[in-house]
């Protein structure tokens, strides 16, 4: 992965993380870097799941893949928030 791929992963991860964060009700006490990290992981895992389900290459925007990634980001943010609340 080149520098452009790393920058793209960070940007896409930030977008997915922020969208996932919007889905979690209430205030989250996690930082921006944690949100981006969760978004990057959700983007990669969501892409793998979409590929396994054969919904990763569609005509136009891959809405199903985006929905999977955003849902995973929301779950990741909620899990991280719950983990931080316990410690």
């Amino acid at each position: 992965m080149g520098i452009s791929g790393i920058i793209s992963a960070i940007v896409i991860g930030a977008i997915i993380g922020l969208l996932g964060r919007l889905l979690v009700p209430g205030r989250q006490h996690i930082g921006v870097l944690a949100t981006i990290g969760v978004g990057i992981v959700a983007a990669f895992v969501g892409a793998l799941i979409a590929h396994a389900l054969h919904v990763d290459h569609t005509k136009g925007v891959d809405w199903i893949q985006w929905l999977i990634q955003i849902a995973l980001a929301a779950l990741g943010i909620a899990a991280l928030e719950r983990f931080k609340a316990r410690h």
Side-chain angles (χ1 to χ4, degrees), residues 23-41:
L23 292 178
V24 178
R27 180 175 164 90
Q28 295 85 38
H29 300 285
I30 62 173
V32 174
L33 292 178
T35 300
I36 292 171
V38 169
I40 290 170
V41 171

Side-chain angles (χ1 to χ4, degrees), residues 16-30 35 38 70-82:
I16 289 175
L18 291 173
L19 290 172
R21 192 171 179 155
L22 288 174
L23 292 178
V24 178
R27 180 175 164 90
Q28 295 85 38
H29 300 285
I30 62 173
T35 300
V38 169
I70 293 168
L72 287 173
L75 288 172
I77 299 250
L80 185 60
E81 175 65 28
R82 189 168 288 197

Side-chain angles (χ1 to χ4, degrees), residues 51-84:
H51 180 71
L53 296 174
H54 303 290
V55 294
D56 56 337
H57 294 294
T58 60
K59 294 180 182 177
V61 179
D62 297 326
W63 291 110
I64 297 172
Q65 180 173 333
W66 273 88
L67 290 174
I68 293 169
Q69 292 170 331
I70 293 168
L72 287 173
L75 288 172
I77 299 250
L80 185 60
E81 175 65 28
R82 189 168 288 197
F83 177 77
K84 283 189 73 173

